[in-house]
Amino acid sequence: MTIVDRPETKIDGRWEITLRPDLSPAHDAVLELSRDGDSLSVKIESADGTGTGEGFVDGSRLSWTMTFGHLPAPWRFRAEIDGDVLEGRAEAEFGQFKMIASMEGVRAGSDARVAFREGSEALVETLTACGVEYVFGYSGGMTTSVQRSVVGQGVPNVNARTELSAAWMSYGYNRVKRRAASATLMWCVGSLHAAPVVLAAKLDSTPLVYMLMENAAVWDLRDALQDGTELYSAFKPLAKYVRRIVDGQDLPLAVRQAVLAASTGKFGPAVLDLTHEAMYQKTTIKTEPLTLPSPPAADEEAVRRTIELIKSASRPVLLAGAGVHMADATAELRRFVEATGIPVVSSGPGGRGVLPDDHPLYAGDMSGWGYFGTGTQLAEEADLWIAVGFSFSQTATASWSLAKPEKVVHVDIEQAQLGRIFQPTVGVVADAGKFLAQLSGRLEASGLRRSDGGDPARLAKIAQAKESYLQLLSSFVGADPIMPAAVGQALAQEVPPDTILVNDEGFMVPGMVFREDKYPSGFANPLGFHYDSLGSTLPVAIGAKLAAPDRLVVSVGGDGGFYYDSSDLSVLAERNLKVVCIVLNNGGLYGGRRGREHGVNALPLTHWTDLPEETDYTTIARSMGVPGERVEKADDIAPAIRRAIEADGPYFIEVMTSGSTLHLSLNGWPDPDPKTTRKFGHGDRSVEGSWPS
């Protein structure tokens, strides 16, 4: 037998290493190794300081002990060398605590590369490659295993004051960006606090990447502290995409798929349930930059049939929903309707602002929200609806009781939306902007273009209704006690062009008019409407401000909602974010009082609806570092808003109001169809009289 001597491992020299502690960001260091037989001398240089140590060599394996950095206890290192690559780990114990750090590196001056990275590094690397710009989170448990990589890779991040606020901030950021441009991170035990945001993102088509960290999967069967094994099943019905990750090798693909699912088709939430050990497992899976696919256009037959229906209609109306905003299609919508003279009726808060309010073809919104008064009437008088990005929700259709024409074209990016409630004449799977551009591209050949601006009778009806509405709004200006509609009008007058406004529960700011001179591209509400709840206003405004730092952002909410999100004032102060926070203080939950007025269960008006009158919200704001003032007279509203706009940082305004005109429900217009019975609100208990009956 021939014995072959193995070459001795080359150890001496400088090694460029990366240490990855389990509870802090990764950092780089340089090792100087010197071997003398089986003995080893080590010197380390890093941002934490320098240190020296002694150890042993066993073939390609090394071990040594040294003290450096901020810990008084010594670190024990173990490593193995393979050519010009070094891999290992370090441990330090002090009292009952142990710190662990993985370690990898290459010989200085060599071309060697470490072929792997830890799961948390791959996760954050992939988030960045997929276009995620911010991480919003709330610390706890082992979220540090991801935080270290977020910080180490320089990803901008915000620590919110609650899990709920962190998720709302990400929601607001992504809704402004129109993609999953941010992600959330939180520990399992608090993750269900943010469940309403996940559901709101699903119902309101908002991109959201929601990451929760839980215990290592090896503890699943052992009743671990803060056990999160049931969270996957809890979030599954709420999310568009959900995965539980137990193997670090899966992280690059899981993150990629989550961002893709959240940002394409009908936007929605993607949930990643991350197990702790996956953050330390090593992965060699490649991270590739993500380019989102182009949204779909309509097929030629659908476009042709739509044009034929428009040509044969005498009273067509274009119904515009939030899908027009989410597709950034307001310019294409304007181009098409101005060329054809077709009036636009929007869904309520979601579709409002697809055209400036004073555009002659904007007839207002549909159903009980009643802005300008003609939206519902024109929709019911129409012989054709071209519904684009319009979901036919309960609020837009008076519980599906409005008179519906026989011919309807329904356009949505998600196929399953078409025919859900009734059968449209033409169902079109397409992006709103692509579809409207296709229609505009065929105007010359179709003969639909008209130069007179539209039907004079319908234009006159729209203009008259707007004038009546504006007169109603003007009656609140300067009147005491202050009505909320006066605040909206002051904002409309004082704020600069393209100011972003966020209002409680996705409603529009009461009394706000989005005029052409300040909103030529319309206004997209950064907060949806189907499920958004009290407490969303200020954190969504914070997310919107971070997404659009050059625009003024104004948060307008009630005193009830402020009990949820008041802690986020400290985020404004901490980061000196220029957000104007306005709280309308009427001493109670006005929506609840309105319900009592309708005789619900014959409860007193004040039951569960009154709030403590002695609460001084302005003092609360100041105590958190946000300057502000209280307004008690209508004539003081505009000057306070001007001071807020001129302030160098955040500003708080508490307006003492009476009653509410949150939604001016102008429901008194004649019903063009005597057979139609109006239904209102989610208090309806029967589908009788609703579509498709």
PDB file of all heavy atoms in Angstrom, residues 507-530:
ATOM      1  N   PHE A 507     -62.544  57.311   3.902  1.00  0.00           N
ATOM      2  CA  PHE A 507     -63.457  58.339   3.418  1.00  0.00           C
ATOM      3  C   PHE A 507     -62.650  59.531   2.898  1.00  0.00           C
ATOM      4  O   PHE A 507     -61.496  59.720   3.248  1.00  0.00           O
ATOM      5  CB  PHE A 507     -64.385  58.814   4.535  1.00  0.00           C
ATOM      6  CG  PHE A 507     -65.376  57.793   4.982  1.00  0.00           C
ATOM      7  CD1 PHE A 507     -65.274  57.208   6.232  1.00  0.00           C
ATOM      8  CD2 PHE A 507     -66.417  57.423   4.157  1.00  0.00           C
ATOM      9  CE1 PHE A 507     -66.192  56.264   6.650  1.00  0.00           C
ATOM     10  CE2 PHE A 507     -67.350  56.479   4.571  1.00  0.00           C
ATOM     11  CZ  PHE A 507     -67.230  55.894   5.825  1.00  0.00           C
ATOM     12  N   MET A 508     -63.281  60.356   2.088  1.00  0.00           N
ATOM     13  CA  MET A 508     -62.658  61.598   1.679  1.00  0.00           C
ATOM     14  C   MET A 508     -62.757  62.620   2.818  1.00  0.00           C
ATOM     15  O   MET A 508     -63.667  62.566   3.648  1.00  0.00           O
ATOM     16  CB  MET A 508     -63.347  62.155   0.430  1.00  0.00           C
ATOM     17  CG  MET A 508     -62.997  61.394  -0.828  1.00  0.00           C
ATOM     18  SD  MET A 508     -61.239  61.586  -1.209  1.00  0.00           S
ATOM     19  CE  MET A 508     -61.091  60.396  -2.531  1.00  0.00           C
ATOM     20  N   VAL A 509     -61.820  63.565   2.835  1.00  0.00           N
ATOM     21  CA  VAL A 509     -61.881  64.640   3.818  1.00  0.00           C
ATOM     22  C   VAL A 509     -63.192  65.396   3.618  1.00  0.00           C
ATOM     23  O   VAL A 509     -63.503  65.816   2.505  1.00  0.00           O
ATOM     24  CB  VAL A 509     -60.689  65.600   3.645  1.00  0.00           C
ATOM     25  CG1 VAL A 509     -60.823  66.793   4.591  1.00  0.00           C
ATOM     26  CG2 VAL A 509     -59.381  64.863   3.896  1.00  0.00           C
ATOM     27  N   PRO A 510     -64.000  65.542   4.658  1.00  0.00           N
ATOM     28  CA  PRO A 510     -65.301  66.198   4.489  1.00  0.00           C
ATOM     29  C   PRO A 510     -65.141  67.616   3.961  1.00  0.00           C
ATOM     30  O   PRO A 510     -64.356  68.407   4.478  1.00  0.00           O
ATOM     31  CB  PRO A 510     -65.894  66.189   5.901  1.00  0.00           C
ATOM     32  CG  PRO A 510     -64.739  65.960   6.819  1.00  0.00           C
ATOM     33  CD  PRO A 510     -63.764  65.144   6.053  1.00  0.00           C
ATOM     34  N   GLY A 511     -65.877  67.906   2.894  1.00  0.00           N
ATOM     35  CA  GLY A 511     -65.852  69.236   2.313  1.00  0.00           C
ATOM     36  C   GLY A 511     -64.715  69.491   1.350  1.00  0.00           C
ATOM     37  O   GLY A 511     -64.661  70.550   0.726  1.00  0.00           O
ATOM     38  N   MET A 512     -63.800  68.550   1.194  1.00  0.00           N
ATOM     39  CA  MET A 512     -62.644  68.753   0.318  1.00  0.00           C
ATOM     40  C   MET A 512     -63.074  68.684  -1.142  1.00  0.00           C
ATOM     41  O   MET A 512     -63.795  67.772  -1.551  1.00  0.00           O
ATOM     42  CB  MET A 512     -61.589  67.687   0.592  1.00  0.00           C
ATOM     43  CG  MET A 512     -60.306  67.854  -0.187  1.00  0.00           C
ATOM     44  SD  MET A 512     -59.353  69.262   0.372  1.00  0.00           S
ATOM     45  CE  MET A 512     -58.102  69.347  -0.899  1.00  0.00           C
ATOM     46  N   VAL A 513     -62.644  69.660  -1.934  1.00  0.00           N
ATOM     47  CA  VAL A 513     -62.899  69.684  -3.371  1.00  0.00           C
ATOM     48  C   VAL A 513     -61.549  69.665  -4.080  1.00  0.00           C
ATOM     49  O   VAL A 513     -60.696  70.523  -3.830  1.00  0.00           O
ATOM     50  CB  VAL A 513     -63.707  70.931  -3.776  1.00  0.00           C
ATOM     51  CG1 VAL A 513     -63.924  70.950  -5.281  1.00  0.00           C
ATOM     52  CG2 VAL A 513     -65.051  70.951  -3.052  1.00  0.00           C
ATOM     53  N   PHE A 514     -61.356  68.684  -4.956  1.00  0.00           N
ATOM     54  CA  PHE A 514     -60.086  68.518  -5.663  1.00  0.00           C
ATOM     55  C   PHE A 514     -60.194  69.211  -7.025  1.00  0.00           C
ATOM     56  O   PHE A 514     -60.622  68.613  -8.012  1.00  0.00           O
ATOM     57  CB  PHE A 514     -59.761  67.035  -5.814  1.00  0.00           C
ATOM     58  CG  PHE A 514     -59.634  66.324  -4.495  1.00  0.00           C
ATOM     59  CD1 PHE A 514     -60.689  65.585  -3.985  1.00  0.00           C
ATOM     60  CD2 PHE A 514     -58.478  66.416  -3.752  1.00  0.00           C
ATOM     61  CE1 PHE A 514     -60.593  64.947  -2.766  1.00  0.00           C
ATOM     62  CE2 PHE A 514     -58.359  65.780  -2.528  1.00  0.00           C
ATOM     63  CZ  PHE A 514     -59.415  65.046  -2.027  1.00  0.00           C
ATOM     64  N   ARG A 515     -59.796  70.472  -7.062  1.00  0.00           N
ATOM     65  CA  ARG A 515     -59.977  71.276  -8.268  1.00  0.00           C
ATOM     66  C   ARG A 515     -58.822  71.100  -9.248  1.00  0.00           C
ATOM     67  O   ARG A 515     -57.718  70.704  -8.883  1.00  0.00           O
ATOM     68  CB  ARG A 515     -60.124  72.751  -7.891  1.00  0.00           C
ATOM     69  CG  ARG A 515     -61.428  73.073  -7.158  1.00  0.00           C
ATOM     70  CD  ARG A 515     -61.589  74.579  -6.979  1.00  0.00           C
ATOM     71  NE  ARG A 515     -62.932  74.912  -6.494  1.00  0.00           N
ATOM     72  CZ  ARG A 515     -63.267  74.982  -5.229  1.00  0.00           C
ATOM     73  NH1 ARG A 515     -62.371  74.704  -4.287  1.00  0.00           N
ATOM     74  NH2 ARG A 515     -64.499  75.307  -4.867  1.00  0.00           N
ATOM     75  N   GLU A 516     -59.118  71.477 -10.490  1.00  0.00           N
ATOM     76  CA  GLU A 516     -58.168  71.338 -11.591  1.00  0.00           C
ATOM     77  C   GLU A 516     -56.853  72.056 -11.322  1.00  0.00           C
ATOM     78  O   GLU A 516     -55.776  71.567 -11.658  1.00  0.00           O
ATOM     79  CB  GLU A 516     -58.801  71.891 -12.875  1.00  0.00           C
ATOM     80  CG  GLU A 516     -57.916  71.829 -14.102  1.00  0.00           C
ATOM     81  CD  GLU A 516     -58.052  70.524 -14.847  1.00  0.00           C
ATOM     82  OE1 GLU A 516     -59.152  69.951 -14.849  1.00  0.00           O
ATOM     83  OE2 GLU A 516     -57.045  70.082 -15.416  1.00  0.00           O
ATOM     84  N   ASP A 517     -56.891  73.232 -10.702  1.00  0.00           N
ATOM     85  CA  ASP A 517     -55.671  74.021 -10.537  1.00  0.00           C
ATOM     86  C   ASP A 517     -54.680  73.364  -9.588  1.00  0.00           C
ATOM     87  O   ASP A 517     -53.482  73.639  -9.651  1.00  0.00           O
ATOM     88  CB  ASP A 517     -56.002  75.442 -10.069  1.00  0.00           C
ATOM     89  CG  ASP A 517     -56.729  75.466  -8.731  1.00  0.00           C
ATOM     90  OD1 ASP A 517     -57.322  74.429  -8.350  1.00  0.00           O
ATOM     91  OD2 ASP A 517     -56.720  76.520  -8.063  1.00  0.00           O
ATOM     92  N   LYS A 518     -55.170  72.487  -8.707  1.00  0.00           N
ATOM     93  CA  LYS A 518     -54.264  71.814  -7.773  1.00  0.00           C
ATOM     94  C   LYS A 518     -54.153  70.316  -8.008  1.00  0.00           C
ATOM     95  O   LYS A 518     -53.177  69.684  -7.590  1.00  0.00           O
ATOM     96  CB  LYS A 518     -54.712  72.073  -6.333  1.00  0.00           C
ATOM     97  CG  LYS A 518     -54.524  73.527  -5.912  1.00  0.00           C
ATOM     98  CD  LYS A 518     -54.758  73.728  -4.431  1.00  0.00           C
ATOM     99  CE  LYS A 518     -54.484  75.177  -4.043  1.00  0.00           C
ATOM    100  NZ  LYS A 518     -54.680  75.416  -2.586  1.00  0.00           N
ATOM    101  N   TYR A 519     -55.142  69.735  -8.656  1.00  0.00           N
ATOM    102  CA  TYR A 519     -55.133  68.290  -8.905  1.00  0.00           C
ATOM    103  C   TYR A 519     -55.455  67.999 -10.369  1.00  0.00           C
ATOM    104  O   TYR A 519     -56.464  67.363 -10.674  1.00  0.00           O
ATOM    105  CB  TYR A 519     -56.125  67.586  -7.972  1.00  0.00           C
ATOM    106  CG  TYR A 519     -55.713  67.638  -6.518  1.00  0.00           C
ATOM    107  CD1 TYR A 519     -56.163  68.654  -5.685  1.00  0.00           C
ATOM    108  CD2 TYR A 519     -54.840  66.690  -5.995  1.00  0.00           C
ATOM    109  CE1 TYR A 519     -55.770  68.718  -4.358  1.00  0.00           C
ATOM    110  CE2 TYR A 519     -54.440  66.746  -4.661  1.00  0.00           C
ATOM    111  CZ  TYR A 519     -54.906  67.763  -3.850  1.00  0.00           C
ATOM    112  OH  TYR A 519     -54.508  67.813  -2.539  1.00  0.00           O
ATOM    113  N   PRO A 520     -54.606  68.461 -11.303  1.00  0.00           N
ATOM    114  CA  PRO A 520     -54.899  68.226 -12.723  1.00  0.00           C
ATOM    115  C   PRO A 520     -54.916  66.747 -13.090  1.00  0.00           C
ATOM    116  O   PRO A 520     -55.572  66.364 -14.063  1.00  0.00           O
ATOM    117  CB  PRO A 520     -53.764  68.965 -13.440  1.00  0.00           C
ATOM    118  CG  PRO A 520     -52.672  69.054 -12.429  1.00  0.00           C
ATOM    119  CD  PRO A 520     -53.343  69.201 -11.113  1.00  0.00           C
ATOM    120  N   SER A 521     -54.194  65.944 -12.340  1.00  0.00           N
ATOM    121  CA  SER A 521     -54.176  64.496 -12.604  1.00  0.00           C
ATOM    122  C   SER A 521     -55.154  63.742 -11.722  1.00  0.00           C
ATOM    123  O   SER A 521     -55.097  62.509 -11.646  1.00  0.00           O
ATOM    124  CB  SER A 521     -52.758  63.952 -12.398  1.00  0.00           C
ATOM    125  OG  SER A 521     -51.841  64.577 -13.262  1.00  0.00           O
ATOM    126  N   GLY A 522     -56.035  64.471 -11.040  1.00  0.00           N
ATOM    127  CA  GLY A 522     -56.953  63.823 -10.121  1.00  0.00           C
ATOM    128  C   GLY A 522     -56.292  63.555  -8.785  1.00  0.00           C
ATOM    129  O   GLY A 522     -55.174  64.018  -8.500  1.00  0.00           O
ATOM    130  N   PHE A 523     -56.975  62.812  -7.943  1.00  0.00           N
ATOM    131  CA  PHE A 523     -56.461  62.525  -6.607  1.00  0.00           C
ATOM    132  C   PHE A 523     -56.728  61.069  -6.269  1.00  0.00           C
ATOM    133  O   PHE A 523     -57.866  60.599  -6.341  1.00  0.00           O
ATOM    134  CB  PHE A 523     -57.131  63.413  -5.559  1.00  0.00           C
ATOM    135  CG  PHE A 523     -56.750  63.045  -4.143  1.00  0.00           C
ATOM    136  CD1 PHE A 523     -55.515  63.403  -3.651  1.00  0.00           C
ATOM    137  CD2 PHE A 523     -57.608  62.306  -3.344  1.00  0.00           C
ATOM    138  CE1 PHE A 523     -55.138  63.040  -2.361  1.00  0.00           C
ATOM    139  CE2 PHE A 523     -57.249  61.943  -2.058  1.00  0.00           C
ATOM    140  CZ  PHE A 523     -56.004  62.311  -1.561  1.00  0.00           C
ATOM    141  N   ALA A 524     -55.676  60.364  -5.920  1.00  0.00           N
ATOM    142  CA  ALA A 524     -55.803  58.957  -5.534  1.00  0.00           C
ATOM    143  C   ALA A 524     -55.729  58.842  -4.019  1.00  0.00           C
ATOM    144  O   ALA A 524     -54.700  59.136  -3.408  1.00  0.00           O
ATOM    145  CB  ALA A 524     -54.698  58.127  -6.179  1.00  0.00           C
ATOM    146  N   ASN A 525     -56.799  58.419  -3.406  1.00  0.00           N
ATOM    147  CA  ASN A 525     -56.825  58.241  -1.958  1.00  0.00           C
ATOM    148  C   ASN A 525     -55.845  57.142  -1.556  1.00  0.00           C
ATOM    149  O   ASN A 525     -55.936  56.020  -2.052  1.00  0.00           O
ATOM    150  CB  ASN A 525     -58.248  57.857  -1.526  1.00  0.00           C
ATOM    151  CG  ASN A 525     -58.439  57.958  -0.025  1.00  0.00           C
ATOM    152  OD1 ASN A 525     -57.518  58.249   0.714  1.00  0.00           O
ATOM    153  ND2 ASN A 525     -59.662  57.716   0.415  1.00  0.00           N
ATOM    154  N   PRO A 526     -54.883  57.427  -0.662  1.00  0.00           N
ATOM    155  CA  PRO A 526     -53.911  56.390  -0.282  1.00  0.00           C
ATOM    156  C   PRO A 526     -54.449  55.368   0.702  1.00  0.00           C
ATOM    157  O   PRO A 526     -53.715  54.484   1.121  1.00  0.00           O
ATOM    158  CB  PRO A 526     -52.772  57.204   0.344  1.00  0.00           C
ATOM    159  CG  PRO A 526     -53.442  58.419   0.881  1.00  0.00           C
ATOM    160  CD  PRO A 526     -54.583  58.722  -0.045  1.00  0.00           C
ATOM    161  N   LEU A 527     -55.707  55.479   1.051  1.00  0.00           N
ATOM    162  CA  LEU A 527     -56.309  54.525   1.971  1.00  0.00           C
ATOM    163  C   LEU A 527     -57.565  53.964   1.325  1.00  0.00           C
ATOM    164  O   LEU A 527     -58.437  54.712   0.880  1.00  0.00           O
ATOM    165  CB  LEU A 527     -56.657  55.217   3.289  1.00  0.00           C
ATOM    166  CG  LEU A 527     -57.160  54.363   4.449  1.00  0.00           C
ATOM    167  CD1 LEU A 527     -56.160  53.278   4.812  1.00  0.00           C
ATOM    168  CD2 LEU A 527     -57.429  55.235   5.669  1.00  0.00           C
ATOM    169  N   GLY A 528     -57.647  52.650   1.221  1.00  0.00           N
ATOM    170  CA  GLY A 528     -58.816  52.013   0.629  1.00  0.00           C
ATOM    171  C   GLY A 528     -60.038  52.163   1.504  1.00  0.00           C
ATOM    172  O   GLY A 528     -60.033  52.871   2.507  1.00  0.00           O
ATOM    173  N   PHE A 529     -61.102  51.439   1.160  1.00  0.00           N
ATOM    174  CA  PHE A 529     -62.358  51.710   1.846  1.00  0.00           C
ATOM    175  C   PHE A 529     -63.095  50.460   2.334  1.00  0.00           C
ATOM    176  O   PHE A 529     -63.859  50.526   3.291  1.00  0.00           O
ATOM    177  CB  PHE A 529     -63.271  52.504   0.912  1.00  0.00           C
ATOM    178  CG  PHE A 529     -64.628  52.789   1.488  1.00  0.00           C
ATOM    179  CD1 PHE A 529     -64.762  53.652   2.541  1.00  0.00           C
ATOM    180  CD2 PHE A 529     -65.752  52.171   0.988  1.00  0.00           C
ATOM    181  CE1 PHE A 529     -66.003  53.917   3.090  1.00  0.00           C
ATOM    182  CE2 PHE A 529     -67.001  52.419   1.529  1.00  0.00           C
ATOM    183  CZ  PHE A 529     -67.130  53.302   2.580  1.00  0.00           C
ATOM    184  N   HIS A 530     -62.875  49.324   1.721  1.00  0.00           N
ATOM    185  CA  HIS A 530     -63.719  48.180   2.051  1.00  0.00           C
ATOM    186  C   HIS A 530     -63.583  47.721   3.500  1.00  0.00           C
ATOM    187  O   HIS A 530     -64.546  47.295   4.114  1.00  0.00           O
ATOM    188  CB  HIS A 530     -63.397  47.007   1.122  1.00  0.00           C
ATOM    189  CG  HIS A 530     -63.957  47.159  -0.250  1.00  0.00           C
ATOM    190  ND1 HIS A 530     -63.172  47.405  -1.350  1.00  0.00           N
ATOM    191  CD2 HIS A 530     -65.225  47.133  -0.705  1.00  0.00           C
ATOM    192  CE1 HIS A 530     -63.939  47.509  -2.420  1.00  0.00           C
ATOM    193  NE2 HIS A 530     -65.183  47.346  -2.060  1.00  0.00           N
TER     194      HIS A 530
END
